[in-house]
Amino acid sequence: MQLFDRTADELAARDTDLAIIPIGSIEQHGPHLPLSTDYRIAAAFGEAVAEAAGGFSIPPLPVSTCREHMGKKGAVWMDPDVFYHMLYSMLMSLKEQGFRRAVTLQCHGGIFVLPAVIRQVNATNNPDFMAVNIDICSLFGVVAAEGITETDKELHAGEVETSLMLHIAPELVHMERAVDFVPAVQRPYLGYGSIFRASPSGVWGEPSRASADKGKRILERFTALAVQEMDQAFDYMQVKKPFGYSSF
């Protein structure tokens, strides 16, 4: 059971100083995956990381920034400055309650403003309060290198996300509609035009290679990698000594 489904007194009894904020998006995921894909992956990832690390995970945020999916109905976004201030305020609310560490689980690749929030929080609050961001897209290459997935071309609605959804919510996946497409451009080009300029289907990868078994293995590996990465980052920040006037 997630801690947000328990009482406030039960949470207090756990005495955890780690808060977890999974962040998803509502947006198109090609012809075969639901609009809720990033949200559902964030929910599963948040629960797994909370169980592994013993932290307090809040319910995943369903809306973030996703203007790179403009063109088809169903994408819901807020402007980057709104997201920045919303997330910053949430992190400060956690600090005020006594949490000393927070990790954001970025389960939608298009939140380009998120690292700026994390840097600002750390620049003004280290070492009393520390924040780490885990970008799920940064883990795609790891599972490819380890042979869990067959392709390293994943960015959106490809082998990784489709496998995760086949494991998490198979009833929402329409594999008979899946199409493979790997654009000729790189991820930064999403700042120059919507994903549909690079991929007519809105897919960036090879979903035909997906399976539920891969999804299970991917989620387990992502969880282990996330805990490892955040522990390393927290340790790095914790041992820092002041330099001049700054503790950052």
Side-chain angles (χ1 to χ4, degrees):
M1 180 186 292
Q2 289 274 62
L3 286 177
F4 60 72
D5 282 326
R6 296 185 180 275
T7 68
D9 290 342
E10 289 174 316
L11 171 60
R14 294 293 183 96
D15 196 30
T16 180
D17 74 341
L18 173 65
I20 299 165
I21 305 178
I23 305 172
S25 184
I26 301 299
E27 63 189 39
Q28 73 81 30
H29 275 76
H32 67 293
L33 291 178
L35 295 162
S36 62
T37 292
D38 287 344
Y39 170 79
R40 291 181 179 275
I41 290 174
F45 195 26
E47 182 173 358
V49 171
E51 182 175 347
F56 167 55
S57 178
I58 72 167
L61 305 183
V63 175
S64 52
T65 62
C66 65
R67 281 190 175 271
E68 68 276 13
H69 294 284
M70 293 171 65
K72 284 191 175 181
K73 285 185 176 181
V76 184
W77 63 79
M78 62 185 77
D79 287 339
D81 60 328
V82 176
F83 178 85
Y84 180 103
H85 290 293
M86 177 198 70
L87 183 58
Y88 188 89
S89 181
M90 290 176 63
L91 289 165
M92 291 301 94
S93 80
L94 293 167
K95 176 189 175 184
E96 189 171 337
Q97 297 174 58
F99 290 97
R100 294 194 62 252
R101 300 177 297 151
V103 58
T104 53
L105 301 178
Q106 181 182 344
C107 297
H108 161 52
I111 318 176
F112 302 112
V113 72
L114 207 163
V117 183
I118 299 302
R119 180 176 294 189
Q120 181 68 9
V121 166
N122 288 322
T124 56
N125 292 277
N126 279 175
D128 296 330
F129 183 76
M130 303 173 289
V132 171
N133 182 52
I134 307 295
D135 181 353
I136 200 171
C137 293
S138 70
L139 307 179
F140 290 173
V142 178
V143 293
E146 294 177 351
I148 297 175
T149 58
E150 301 174 53
T151 176
D152 62 355
K153 307 301 183 184
E154 168 85 13
L155 184 62
H156 183 76
E159 181 182 11
V160 173
E161 288 193 320
T162 304
S163 293
L164 285 168
M165 285 299 289
L166 284 169
H167 170 57
I168 296 166
E171 71 280 3
L172 301 179
V173 181
H174 306 279
M175 286 303 293
E176 73 281 1
R177 305 178 195 167
V179 293
D180 294 350
F181 194 92
V182 179
V185 298
Q186 301 299 312
R187 185 182 183 185
Y189 273 69
L190 290 174
Y192 310 144
S194 81
I195 192 172
F196 301 110
R197 309 297 181 182
S199 169
S201 67
V203 170
W204 194 311
E206 301 175 70
S208 66
R209 299 176 183 268
S211 72
D213 178 65
K214 287 180 182 177
K216 181 176 184 296
R217 294 168 64 197
I218 290 167
L219 182 58
E220 291 171 350
R221 190 68 182 114
F222 279 5
T223 301
L225 288 167
V227 173
Q228 175 183 315
E229 184 175 333
M230 71 186 197
D231 283 347
Q232 288 176 347
F234 287 136
D235 287 345
Y236 177 81
M237 287 186 278
Q238 187 67 52
V239 300
K240 288 186 302 182
K241 302 297 183 183
F243 183 85
Y245 63 82
S246 173
S247 294
F248 180 49

